[in-house]
């Protein structure tokens, strides 16, 4: 079985590539290495690690025509909200147009396709009232990133409706784990906090630290993706990919203290403008397919810290 993972050299993509490689799928990665790293996927040979851009539409179409992938997982994106605000025209070409081209190329040239999965985001909900966040409720995008993810997931859904393509979108909540890059101030907060604990640096809470998120350990995401990949009932659907648990940053900080058996300095500063206070996902639609998150935040952070200290 051939599987194409766009953005496969990044944080999430590398875990999916690892899993499907172990399951003996023939894994192809298409990645321009903008925020991903060759070293994340050392187990993929050069013939299967295609260093190219998803906006290179002719190249992508030819690749799909030639390889006739059984599965496509489309993750490549401008992932930084700030970057999409700075450059919405460029980011929409990656986040919307390239997705549409990927769908269209598969529709026209790949009759072998068994599933197309698109990585959407909890960002589409914005600051809407009401918890948990439900797929069929009001959305309120607050950034080009959120609009782009929404547009692309809706195209993905529409290609099922119009052309009966086997497509599914997943709205990822806050994913964390090994290989998440902490290098930008807008990186996932747990990768930043982990790095501060490692280096005995000061962590800054933006706001009072009471804000909550639905943090998902990346191995649970892999479980969810593999379930959706193999389930025809998921075609034409959009699911929240969360853990269904709401955890505050202060709780996370305490858990890191226990795991590292020490504390570090911390301070509080102003909340980020537009920051969401509370967020967690309703995940019943996904659990009804058989998904069951296995990592509590304690277990996930323990696995993360263990990895960090042995790599
Ligand atoms: P990441 O930056 O580690 O991975 C993105 C990958 O896409 C990188 O390897 C990058 O080099 C590649 N890429 C970017 N632009 C490309 C282009 N034009 N052509 C080819 N490759 C390109 O980020 P991640 O956290 O692994 O995110 C993966 C996907 O999940 C993204 O679509 C992101 O929007 C989505 N997502 C992530 C989270 C999270 O919590 N990490 C939450 C919601 C949604
Ligand atoms: C997530 C996405 C983001 C976008 C956004 C839309 C991730 C990594 N980010 O942002 O791409 O989709 O949702 O809503 O999934 N914080 C601190 N100190 C720090 C860094 C962060 O206190 O050094 C706070 C931050 O203000 C926020 C919380 O931690 O309240 C989580 O921040 P984040 O950037 O990890 O994730 P989020 O949910 O804001």
């Amino acid at each position: 079985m051939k599987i194409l993972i766009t953005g496969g050299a990044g944080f999430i993509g590398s875990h999916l590539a690892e899993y499907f490689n172990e399951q003996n799928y023939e894994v192809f990665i298409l990645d321009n290495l903008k925020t991903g790293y060759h070293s994340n996927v050392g187990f993929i040979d050069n013939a299967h690690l295609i260093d190219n851009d998803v906006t290179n539409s002719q190249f992508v179409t030819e690749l799909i025509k030639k390889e006739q992938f059984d599965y496509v997982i489309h993750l490549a994106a401008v992932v930084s909200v700030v970057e999409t605000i700075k450059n919405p025209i460029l980011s929409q070409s990656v986040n919307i147009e390239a997705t549409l081209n990927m769908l269209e190329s598969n529709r026209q040239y790949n009759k072998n396709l068994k599933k197309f999965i698109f990585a959407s985001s909890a960002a589409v909900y914005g600051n809407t009232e009401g918890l948990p966040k439900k797929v069929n409720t009001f959305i309120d995008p607050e950034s080009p990133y959120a609009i782009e993810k929404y547009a692309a997931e809706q195209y993905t859904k529409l290609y099922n409706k119009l052309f009966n393509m086997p497509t599914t979108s997943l709205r990822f909540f806050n994913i964390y784990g090994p290989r998440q890059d902490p290098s930008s101030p807008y990186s996932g907060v747990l990768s930043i906090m982990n790095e501060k604990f490692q280096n005995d640096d000061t962590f800054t809470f933006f706001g009072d630290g009471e804000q909550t998120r639905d943090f998902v350990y990346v191995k649970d995401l892999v479980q969810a993706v593999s379930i959706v990949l193999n389930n025809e009932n998921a075609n034409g659907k959009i699911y929240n990919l969360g853990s269904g648990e709401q955890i505050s940053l202060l709780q996370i900080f305490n858990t890191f203290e226990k795991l590292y058996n020490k504390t570090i300095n911390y301070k509080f500063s102003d909340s980020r403008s537009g920051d969401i206070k509370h967020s967690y996902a309703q995940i019943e639609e996904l659990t009804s397919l058989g998904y069951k998150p296995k990592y509590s935040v304690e277990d996930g952070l323990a696995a993360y810290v263990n990895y960090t200290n042995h790599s």
Side-chain angles (χ1 to χ4, degrees):
M1 292 283 178
K2 285 187 184 182
I3 184 164
L4 173 67
I5 306 177
T6 74
F11 156 50
I12 293 172
S14 66
H15 288 273
L16 289 166
E18 198 172 16
Y19 172 81
F20 287 109
N21 191 47
E22 278 163 10
Q23 300 290 312
N24 290 322
Y25 287 64
E26 186 180 356
V27 178
F28 291 76
I29 288 175
L30 173 60
D31 198 303
N32 66 358
L33 302 178
K34 185 155 178 271
T35 54
Y37 301 93
H38 200 163
S39 58
N40 281 346
V41 285
F43 49 89
I44 301 286
D45 64 33
N46 285 340
H48 290 81
L49 178 53
I50 304 155
D51 181 355
N52 213 307
D53 201 293
V54 287
T55 59
N56 194 346
S57 52
Q58 219 172 338
F59 177 85
V60 168
T61 304
E62 288 306 319
L63 180 71
I64 287 165
K65 238 189 219 177
K66 174 167 174 249
E67 299 293 350
Q68 298 290 298
F69 299 107
D70 298 277
Y71 303 101
V72 176
I73 303 178
H74 181 43
L75 306 169
V78 176
V79 294
S80 157
V81 171
V82 180
E83 216 175 307
T84 69
I85 294 169
K86 282 195 197 137
N87 202 341
I89 294 177
L90 172 78
S91 65
Q92 70 83 31
S93 76
V94 180
N95 293 353
I96 304 178
E97 275 176 41
T99 307
L100 187 53
N101 180 56
M102 194 74 70
L103 288 165
E104 191 54 17
S105 300
N106 276 289
R107 176 177 83 85
Q108 288 192 39
Y109 303 113
N110 184 8
K111 299 292 168 245
N112 199 31
L113 185 73
K114 295 167 185 66
K115 186 74 80 182
F116 181 100
I117 295 181
F118 174 70
S120 185
S121 169
V124 301
Y125 294 111
N127 258 320
T128 49
E129 295 280 316
L131 287 172
K133 302 295 182 199
K134 300 187 183 112
V135 169
N136 290 321
T137 51
F138 188 58
I139 54 127
D140 191 14
E142 302 235 355
S143 61
Y145 175 79
I147 291 183
E148 291 158 9
K149 286 291 181 186
Y150 187 69
E153 66 163 44
Q154 294 300 316
Y155 268 125
T156 302
K157 185 176 169 182
L158 194 63
Y159 266 62
N160 172 263
K161 204 170 180 182
L162 295 178
F163 310 116
N164 205 22
M165 264 175 66
T167 62
T168 307
S169 289
L170 298 169
R171 290 179 180 167
F172 297 173
F173 277 65
N174 294 64
I175 318 298
Y176 71 97
R179 301 197 283 271
Q180 187 165 31
D181 190 352
S183 59
S184 134
Y186 291 94
S187 299
V189 65
L190 297 201
S191 66
I192 296 174
M193 207 185 275
N194 187 40
E195 195 188 41
K196 303 293 185 200
F197 267 90
Q198 262 187 294
N199 300 332
D200 289 310
D201 275 348
T202 302
F203 178 76
T204 304
F205 290 95
F206 299 130
D208 58 10
E210 302 278 3
Q211 64 264 55
T212 58
R213 292 292 185 273
D214 186 329
F215 292 107
V216 182
Y217 190 58
V218 66
K219 299 274 184 227
D220 278 334
L221 175 143
V222 170
Q223 182 208 147
V225 169
S226 76
I227 286 171
V228 164
L229 194 93
N230 291 305
N231 194 323
E232 285 182 12
N233 295 328
N235 293 349
K237 304 259 174 57
I238 298 170
Y239 296 91
N240 281 338
L241 204 178
S243 69
E245 302 273 333
Q246 198 182 4
I247 312 275
S248 74
L249 287 192
L250 290 169
Q251 283 173 287
I252 298 278
F253 192 88
N254 287 338
T255 310
F256 270 123
E257 285 181 320
K258 285 189 196 123
L259 290 167
Y260 277 97
N261 203 17
K262 67 176 182 189
T263 194
I264 55 169
N265 294 328
Y266 58 89
K267 61 181 185 189
F268 295 94
S269 77
D270 291 346
S271 297
R272 277 180 178 162
S273 75
D275 202 21
I276 292 160
K277 185 75 184 174
H278 298 294
S279 160
Y280 80 100
Q282 190 202 54
I283 58 166
E284 276 65 23
E285 284 90 349
L286 203 54
T287 53
S288 74
L289 297 182
Y291 167 64
K292 191 168 184 292
K294 292 204 172 81
Y295 290 83
S296 65
V297 143
E298 287 78 12
D299 295 341
L301 288 178
Y304 186 20
V305 168
N306 191 36
Y307 174 91
T308 309
N309 290 335
H310 293 97
S311 61

